[in-house]
Amino acid sequence: MNKIWAFPLALAFFACNSGEKNQKMEIKDYPETAKVDTVDTYFGTDVPDPYRWLEDDRSEQTAEWVKAQNEVTFGYLNNIPFRDKIEERLTELWNYAKESAPRKHGDYYYTYKNDGLQNQWVVYRKKGLDGAESVFLDPNTFSEDATTSLAGTFFTKDGSLLAYSISEGGSDWRKVIVMNAEDKSIVEDTIRNVKFSGVSWKGNEGFFYSSYDKPEGSELSAKTQEHKLYYHKLNTPQSEDELIFGGSETPRRYIGGYVSDDEKFLFISASVSTSGNELYVKDLSDWSNPIVPIAEGFESEHSVLDNDGDRLLIETNLNAPNKRLVEVDANDPSTENYKDVIPETENVLNVSTAGGYIFANYMVDVKTEIHQFDYEGNKVRQVELPGIGSAGGFGAEKDDEKLYYSFTSFTYPSAIFEYDIEKGTSELYWKPEIDFNSEDYETEQVFYESKDGTKVPMFITYKKGMEKNGKNPTELYAYGGFNVSLRPSFSVARLVWLEEGGIYAQPNLRGGGEYGEEWHKAGTKMQKQNVFDDFIAAAEYLIAEGYTSSDKLAISGGSNGGLLVGATMTQRPDLMQVAFPAVGVMDMLRYHTFTAGAGWAYDYGTSEDSKEMFEYLKGYSPVHNVKAGVKYPATMVTTADHDDRVVPAHSFKFAAELQEKHASESPVLIRIETNAGHGAGKPTDKIIDGIADKYSFAWYNMGVVPMDEEM
């Protein structure tokens, strides 16, 4: 692959320096992206891939292309007149104290806190709830630029040892460090090459974790295939860690191991995709005991909630698309012996335990209901929540008398409540002090009709007094995949948009988990178009009802939601003024060849499955559906150079196609974050920068002038 270069050509910026207030900037030339003659053949059909070279994240040519694109992008963004004011207001709003619910480990209560603008949250602890608080672990000291983040904390049952994982530059690859919790001394050498894994302790002797063999080639883009569950004995070399499950004999893409609370059993979950798993159990009373299957095959999902001796409580969607809680004897644990403890209902169930009780978190039209049960499945009460919204965190040890849960909604900043488990009463434990008056805003939930007649719910939030005159800037955000549910939640970043008269709309598309596995499956494989149709119908509803209009509508989504935006804007470029596809899956013919992408096949199918599946994927794949001469919306593609979940080549190729072919004067930019990944662990300053760029780009291209600025 020779003579492939990206040349930054001239940009012509008008208006900002010309004194003509109403004339927008125009990008006269984009960096030139070289083409290659790569062609793939699928079932007799040739498919060119002219930007294949951008998949090489280690090449000098790709690095030069990234640099050239960022020069154009930030040159444009930095010349938006009101961009700095947006960042200033975001910073003001963001600068408030935040904290998590406390969790008890040993003699200490641990809490995550951020005093306002710290790049990474800090772990504090105190002896007893009334003890003196001190810093326990400060991830802001992990690296000079704060791009190394704390990815997880895992204590032994007695709280004396902690294994914590770190992520460098946002990568999914982790390092695990073990420390003595009392004096914070490091116990042993770092465990490396851990990925998609927690840490589960067996006493204080050692722990289970999962990883892949380091791939050949780039660790940020090369395919990872066989997950392995290891046991690490403390103070021994990682090279001596024992393989427990996985590898060539039992190849699985995702494997997790977790020890029961009484440390009697090891439970192993194994899967080949993001949906459905096998479940195994091993009696740890004798290391030579075999691994025994509980549930085999990948058609359903199973996870152990808890055990009472040999009685296992398992959450499953086997023969229950909305899930149920069952029990089975560990001595004869096949699925044929499952017995209902909490049967399936019409609402999706998730369960947790605290204080010797089971808490059932039901999703009722995407809103939370909590019901408390005893271990025999007898209902004790429905928990009274502070309002309509999302609650979570109903977990604690069996002997705890209280638990701490969070509650939030679109106009309710996340607060923490203390719940008396026996009495069933809640008291406010902590709430943020933020420059926000919830009485100034309102949220409504509507149900609109999609293309095939399916009713789809959508939340719409806006400032009170909003007129349905079709002139309101609107952000339409969704996900629609992988059984993920978008619940009501508060976002300080969103406040800037709302207080300037913007509308935020969040539909719950098929492909998500809001109505159980049937809702999920209705947006997978050969039914994936339903997801795009649901999103398009949401936009059409907002326009028809006068909330907004096409020239005031921005669509956004990340990861699978980035695919959603890419597919929607290529199918209906007339529908929106602005598009924000973030870290998106854009090349649907090759996504499964990178990192863990093959695990997404349950939702997507692959181009190798069949001629029919190939043609279906090609029919909506964003990279393959950009057409010459079409006027596409103002677009800012966003990705990161260390994203090893959805590799940046997806976004690179999509941006290159758009820049070459679109016929509109609207800009097509790609914003490439450096030393960052898919999103987790991103420093606060980078988050604020990204949001300021997003909102200023949207308003500028809608012709909206916020904050009394002139344009």
Side-chain angles (χ1 to χ4, degrees):
M1 190 179 296
N2 298 317
K3 297 182 180 178
I4 299 171
W5 301 92
F7 298 97
L9 300 182
L11 281 85
F13 288 123
F14 299 104
C16 290
N17 300 314
S18 69
E20 298 179 43
K21 295 178 181 178
N22 296 318
Q23 187 176 1
K24 288 186 180 179
M25 289 183 286
E26 179 185 348
I27 299 177
K28 205 167 183 81
D29 293 294
Y30 293 97
E32 182 178 313
T33 307
K35 291 184 176 183
V36 293
D37 294 328
T38 304
V39 176
D40 293 315
T41 302
Y42 300 88
F43 302 97
T45 299
D46 289 340
V47 180
D49 192 359
Y51 302 120
R52 176 73 62 85
W53 64 276
L54 287 170
E55 294 180 2
D56 186 354
D57 56 86
R58 299 180 298 171
S59 78
E60 184 178 331
Q61 293 96 326
T62 301
E64 289 178 356
W65 185 88
V66 168
K67 181 181 178 182
Q69 290 288 347
N70 272 343
E71 285 177 357
V72 171
T73 296
F74 290 109
Y76 182 96
L77 295 171
N78 292 336
N79 275 281
I80 294 176
F82 44 78
R83 192 262 174 213
D84 289 344
K85 275 199 171 183
I86 294 172
E87 183 174 11
E88 288 173 13
R89 181 57 180 149
L90 271 169
T91 302
E92 289 174 359
L93 288 168
W94 212 286
N95 193 13
Y96 71 95
K98 311 164 187 70
E99 69 177 75
S100 70
R103 289 302 298 263
K104 191 171 184 290
H105 300 286
D107 297 330
Y108 292 92
Y109 283 87
Y110 293 83
T111 307
Y112 289 77
K113 293 188 176 185
N114 190 307
D115 64 16
L117 296 174
Q118 287 175 292
N119 279 315
Q120 301 290 343
W121 287 49
V122 179
V123 184
Y124 289 79
R125 73 172 177 184
K126 55 187 175 182
K127 269 194 177 180
L129 286 172
D130 299 322
E133 192 171 63
S134 62
V135 173
F136 176 68
L137 199 60
D138 184 358
N140 294 289
T141 65
F142 290 176
S143 61
E144 289 186 8
D145 61 357
T147 58
T148 298
S149 60
L150 181 64
T153 54
F154 311 94
F155 287 88
T156 54
K157 186 174 176 61
D158 65 5
S160 65
L161 294 171
L162 166 68
Y164 67 92
S165 60
I166 63 172
S167 167
E168 296 170 315
S171 171
D172 282 333
W173 290 101
R174 306 284 192 253
K175 294 177 181 177
V176 175
I177 300 163
V178 181
M179 68 156 50
N180 181 306
E182 185 61 37
D183 62 16
K184 298 193 283 187
S185 61
I186 302 302
V187 172
E188 63 170 13
D189 288 340
T190 300
I191 305 299
R192 302 174 185 275
N193 301 335
V194 178
K195 190 170 187 179
F196 298 151
S197 175
V199 169
S200 189
W201 286 91
K202 177 181 179 290
N204 290 22
E205 311 154 17
F207 52 80
F208 298 92
Y209 70 93
S210 303
S211 192
Y212 302 92
D213 293 336
K214 267 297 185 70
E216 295 181 7
S218 169
E219 68 176 57
L220 294 177
S221 60
K223 191 173 183 177
T224 48
Q225 192 75 358
E226 293 182 2
H227 220 192
K228 298 177 181 180
L229 177 66
Y230 290 99
Y231 175 71
H232 172 72
K233 187 176 181 180
L234 215 56
N235 295 312
T236 64
Q238 185 178 1
S239 59
E240 296 179 6
D241 290 354
E242 181 180 350
L243 178 64
I244 302 299
F245 191 91
S248 58
E249 292 188 9
T250 49
R252 303 289 185 267
R253 190 161 284 111
Y254 308 112
I255 298 171
Y258 47 106
V259 177
S260 61
D261 191 54
D262 62 5
E263 303 191 329
K264 181 178 181 180
F265 298 110
L266 169 67
F267 302 110
I268 300 171
S269 173
S271 58
V272 294
S273 70
T274 52
S275 293
N277 68 293
E278 303 166 319
L279 186 64
Y280 299 85
V281 61
K282 176 182 173 70
D283 188 336
L284 293 176
S285 61
D286 186 335
W287 196 254
S288 65
N289 284 333
I291 295 173
V292 177
I294 297 175
E296 298 181 272
F298 306 102
E299 293 75 26
S300 303
E301 296 182 350
H302 317 260
S303 63
V304 178
L305 173 68
D306 198 6
N307 69 297
D308 184 8
D310 289 339
R311 179 179 179 242
L312 309 182
L313 294 173
I314 298 174
E315 180 182 286
T316 182
N317 65 2
L318 176 66
N319 301 322
N322 292 337
K323 295 200 285 191
R324 58 184 171 134
L325 184 68
V326 301
E327 64 178 0
V328 72
D329 191 321
N331 298 301
D332 190 12
S334 67
T335 56
E336 289 80 9
N337 296 325
Y338 279 5
K339 294 179 181 178
D340 281 359
V341 176
I342 301 178
E344 180 190 26
T345 71
E346 62 181 3
N347 300 309
V348 180
L349 169 70
N350 284 283
V351 286
S352 58
T353 63
Y357 290 92
I358 298 166
F359 288 85
N361 186 323
Y362 288 105
M363 193 158 34
V364 183
D365 283 334
V366 206
K367 302 176 286 288
T368 297
E369 275 189 14
I370 304 290
H371 297 253
Q372 185 175 344
F373 293 84
D374 65 22
Y375 264 52
E376 301 305 316
N378 301 306
K379 184 176 175 180
V380 176
R381 63 176 65 89
Q382 180 174 339
V383 177
E384 186 176 343
L385 296 176
I388 295 173
S390 304
F394 285 83
E397 300 299 323
K398 283 186 178 179
D399 57 355
D400 285 346
E401 296 177 354
K402 296 179 179 180
L403 62 79
Y404 298 86
Y405 68 88
S406 63
F407 180 82
T408 185
S409 192
F410 292 105
T411 58
Y412 194 111
S414 184
I416 299 168
F417 291 82
E418 182 183 83
Y419 180 77
D420 188 302
I421 296 171
E422 287 294 338
K423 295 179 181 177
T425 56
S426 293
E427 291 185 6
L428 180 65
Y429 176 79
W430 177 87
K431 69 174 182 179
E433 296 181 5
I434 182 173
D435 183 13
F436 170 72
N437 182 7
S438 62
E439 296 302 314
D440 293 341
Y441 302 89
E442 62 182 293
T443 297
E444 59 178 314
Q445 186 182 35
V446 300
F447 290 82
Y448 65 90
E449 194 169 286
S450 190
K451 183 177 181 179
D452 63 358
T454 299
K455 292 289 185 180
V456 181
M458 176 165 57
F459 294 102
I460 309 172
T461 302
Y462 46 83
K463 187 180 286 188
K464 288 181 179 177
M466 179 269 299
E467 295 182 27
K468 292 184 179 180
N469 57 13
K471 299 179 181 179
N472 303 298
T474 299
E475 179 184 4
L476 179 64
Y477 173 86
Y479 187 77
F482 295 97
N483 209 24
V484 171
S485 301
L486 290 187
R487 296 172 178 251
S489 65
F490 181 81
S491 167
V492 66
R494 204 180 296 139
L495 277 188
V496 173
W497 185 260
L498 293 174
E499 65 185 13
E500 290 296 318
I503 294 174
Y504 176 77
Q506 181 176 293
N508 298 101
L509 315 179
R510 281 175 285 184
E514 290 86 352
Y515 293 100
E517 185 59 17
E518 291 180 359
W519 191 255
H520 172 213
K521 287 183 176 178
T524 63
K525 292 189 175 74
M526 303 291 285
Q527 300 184 90
K528 187 66 178 175
Q529 184 61 40
N530 286 337
V531 184
F532 314 138
D533 289 342
D534 289 355
F535 199 47
I536 290 167
E540 291 175 334
Y541 175 90
L542 292 168
I543 293 167
E545 295 297 317
Y547 290 92
T548 192
S549 57
S550 291
D551 60 1
K552 292 292 186 287
L553 178 64
I555 61 172
S556 69
S559 196
N560 174 75
L563 163 63
L564 171 69
V565 172
T568 301
M569 64 179 282
T570 51
Q571 292 182 17
R572 287 292 306 277
D574 61 305
L575 196 56
M576 73 295 297
Q577 181 70 18
V578 180
F580 292 111
V583 293
V585 188
M586 299 302 196
D587 186 341
M588 297 308 297
L589 301 186
R590 286 180 54 75
Y591 77 86
H592 59 292
T593 66
F594 305 112
T595 62
W600 312 334
Y602 181 93
D603 260 54
Y604 296 148
T606 77
S607 56
E608 299 168 357
D609 290 346
S610 66
K611 186 174 188 292
E612 184 183 30
M613 191 74 251
F614 152 68
E615 291 174 345
Y616 191 86
L617 289 167
K618 186 173 180 291
Y620 73 78
S621 176
V623 164
H624 299 94
N625 283 279
V626 179
K627 296 177 174 61
V630 173
K631 292 184 177 182
Y632 291 101
T635 302
M636 187 164 72
V637 182
T638 53
T639 186
D641 63 351
H642 277 62
D643 190 344
D644 49 3
R645 186 86 55 83
V646 180
V647 297
H650 284 281
S651 296
F652 293 173
K653 293 201 285 188
F654 185 57
E657 290 282 351
L658 282 171
Q659 288 179 351
E660 179 198 3
K661 295 177 179 177
H662 83 120
S664 170
E665 293 181 356
S666 297
V668 172
L669 305 178
I670 178 166
R671 186 185 189 279
I672 306 159
E673 194 81 70
T674 56
N675 208 21
H678 199 57
K682 184 181 290 188
T684 297
D685 57 6
K686 285 180 178 283
I687 295 172
I688 291 174
D689 281 347
I691 296 167
D693 288 343
K694 175 180 178 179
Y695 286 157
S696 58
F697 183 87
W699 276 320
Y700 187 78
N701 283 284
M702 290 175 178
V704 173
V705 184
M707 301 182 179
D708 300 319
E709 266 285 355
E710 290 187 344
M711 188 168 74

